[in-house]
Amino acid sequence: MADNSGVRTFFEKQGPSNPLVRRFIAGTSLRDGLLVVKEYSDHNISCSLDILGENVLLPEEAEKSTLGYLEAIRQISIFSPRTYLSVKLTALGMDISDQLARQNLRRLTDEARLRGGIFVRIDMEGSAYTARTHQIVAEEHRAYANVGGVVQSCLRRSDRDLESLIAENVSVRLVKGAYEESPDIAYPKKADIDVAFRRQMYQLLEKGFHPALATHDEAIINIAKKFVKQHNIDPENFEFEMLHGIRNDLQTALVKEGFAVRVYVPYGVAWYPYFSRRLAERPANVGSLLKNLFK
Ligand SMILES: Cc1cc2nc3c(=O)[nH]c(=O)nc-3n(C[C@H](O)[C@H](O)[C@H](O)COP(=O)(O)OP(=O)(O)OC[C@H]3O[C@@H](n4cnc5c(N)ncnc54)[C@H](O)[C@@H]3O)c2cc1C
């Protein structure tokens, strides 16, 4: 339903003034994003700022995204240096060429270095990009240490990818994976993804460099808390990361317990693909969507 053109037109007409859209998206401008970051920071929660927009097909669109990210880095360095930037390589032109995405990423990391070492996390997209993204992350990390990657537990290849990233001391955000993938390359059953996530989470907590455990799965979060206690792992060595609009109660509770929490705050005009992924991954959201359409 989230991909239905009628539903899309309905939500695109209303934009972030619609409460369901507003739940997941900070707004359309950098200023909207920074205002939400400020609210989180008042509650001792850090943020990763993401400009929505992916799969650009023209060099001028890639240039526009790059300029947007550069401005975000400048503003972060002034208003909120603890904030990370989250970047999608397809927004930097990866569908045009890996070379263009690399060049644009280098412009971002040069600026991030100049502005005091802002951390840049490269999001992971669908499986057509997995190997290329890991390769670019590893290369860029050798040039600028404050670059991190993402591993999706749903992919059968991920144990190997995780091992290489840990060996290179790259900070990893562990996620279950938001893209629909074929059973040849990904676990079709949620239970198997959860098993992989737990296995990879243990690896990261024991050997990873400042990992981010990015999930709202309370059962897994409780297992992480138990593991950390049993293995005497300093809560400062890792963080929990969640999406804006999901489980604010859990975010606050974790902060109160002394854990580091970061929230991924997306903003921008091209918000629909991100919004539709959020709707699709949770059947209960379809109830809210229907209420929105028919009220
Ligand atoms: C900080 C962060 C960054 C991410 N970056 C990437 C990335 O780079 N690449 C990528 O493929 N994926 C990314 N994801 C998305 C991720 O892969 C999952 O699709 C998403 O986090 C849902 O999985 P879950 O771990 O919360 O577990 P699930 O088992 O799916 O959900 C556990 C519980 O979380 C809550 N929940 C989860 N999703 C929703 C929702 N949409 N609406 C309402 N409640 C919900 C529900 O209470 C649910 O019971 C990211 C997720 C986070 C938190």
Side-chain angles (χ1 to χ4, degrees):
M1 237 188 130
D3 284 334
N4 174 296
S5 65
V7 172
R8 183 172 186 147
T9 310
F10 172 85
F11 282 109
E12 284 193 332
K13 254 190 203 156
Q14 299 198 0
S17 62
N18 179 291
L20 188 56
V21 177
R22 194 76 192 193
R23 172 179 169 193
F24 296 112
I25 316 296
T28 51
S29 68
L30 174 56
R31 186 172 176 276
D32 294 332
L34 288 169
L35 284 173
V36 172
V37 167
K38 167 83 174 69
E39 278 173 42
Y40 280 113
S41 109
D42 290 345
H43 293 89
N44 273 328
I45 293 176
S46 311
C47 289
S48 338
L49 205 53
D50 170 50
I51 310 179
L52 294 165
E54 50 203 86
N55 294 111
V56 306
L57 297 173
L58 298 169
E60 48 273 33
E61 288 174 335
E63 179 63 19
K64 200 171 154 202
S65 318
T66 306
L67 294 176
Y69 280 122
L70 286 169
E71 186 54 24
I73 292 173
R74 284 177 209 122
Q75 298 288 329
I76 285 173
S77 71
I78 298 166
F79 295 108
S80 183
R82 273 200 315 166
T83 298
Y84 290 178
L85 192 71
S86 258
V87 174
K88 284 191 173 50
L89 291 180
T90 64
L92 300 186
M94 205 188 210
D95 285 330
I96 302 159
S97 76
D98 285 10
Q99 195 45 27
L100 180 63
R102 257 193 204 100
Q103 280 166 5
N104 285 334
L105 177 62
R106 180 56 60 89
R107 289 163 68 192
L108 302 189
T109 55
D110 283 347
E111 187 70 26
R113 181 189 289 110
L114 196 72
R115 301 275 163 177
I118 306 280
F119 186 87
V120 179
R121 172 90 61 201
I122 312 299
D123 285 350
M124 186 55 80
E125 305 178 65
S127 57
Y129 305 101
T130 311
R132 296 148 69 192
T133 302
H134 283 314
Q135 197 186 337
I136 293 178
V137 167
E139 280 168 20
E140 200 55 30
H141 177 263
R142 280 171 220 137
Y144 179 61
N146 282 351
V147 163
V150 173
V151 167
Q152 296 159 322
S153 298
C154 65
L155 296 184
R156 296 181 193 274
R157 57 174 288 156
S158 285
D159 285 309
R160 274 173 288 129
D161 290 331
L162 189 63
E163 208 178 302
S164 317
L165 291 164
I166 289 176
E168 297 237 18
N169 244 359
V170 177
S171 164
V172 171
R173 173 201 288 155
L174 185 64
V175 301
K176 290 188 187 177
Y179 298 83
E180 200 154 341
E181 303 291 359
S182 122
D184 301 348
I185 59 161
Y187 304 111
K189 290 194 192 132
K190 180 172 162 26
D192 292 331
I193 300 173
D194 289 354
V195 168
F197 190 100
R198 288 200 294 274
R199 181 175 68 240
Q200 291 154 0
M201 173 175 91
Y202 299 144
Q203 291 281 314
L204 281 170
L205 286 172
E206 281 193 310
K207 299 190 269 177
F209 175 71
H210 206 83
L213 308 176
T215 182
H216 317 91
D217 186 331
E218 204 166 349
I220 289 188
I221 290 173
N222 286 336
I223 293 170
K225 281 160 47 178
K226 212 163 146 194
F227 186 86
V228 164
K229 205 168 167 195
Q230 277 168 353
H231 292 77
N232 242 341
I233 294 167
D234 187 341
E236 293 206 346
N237 287 350
F238 71 99
E239 59 191 24
F240 291 110
E241 195 174 3
M242 297 190 204
L243 300 176
H244 174 56
I246 305 181
R247 296 301 312 261
N248 290 49
D249 57 334
L250 190 52
Q251 297 160 16
T252 313
L254 286 166
V255 169
K256 275 199 188 129
E257 290 173 64
F259 293 104
V261 177
R262 186 174 297 275
V263 170
Y264 184 97
V265 175
Y267 70 91
V269 284
W271 48 267
Y272 196 81
Y274 175 90
F275 173 68
S276 74
R277 279 199 296 279
R278 299 292 79 80
L279 291 186
E281 72 197 353
R282 181 100 179 110
N285 290 340
V286 177
S288 313
L289 180 145
L290 290 173
K291 259 194 236 153
N292 249 275
L293 285 175
F294 296 115
K295 79 181 171 197

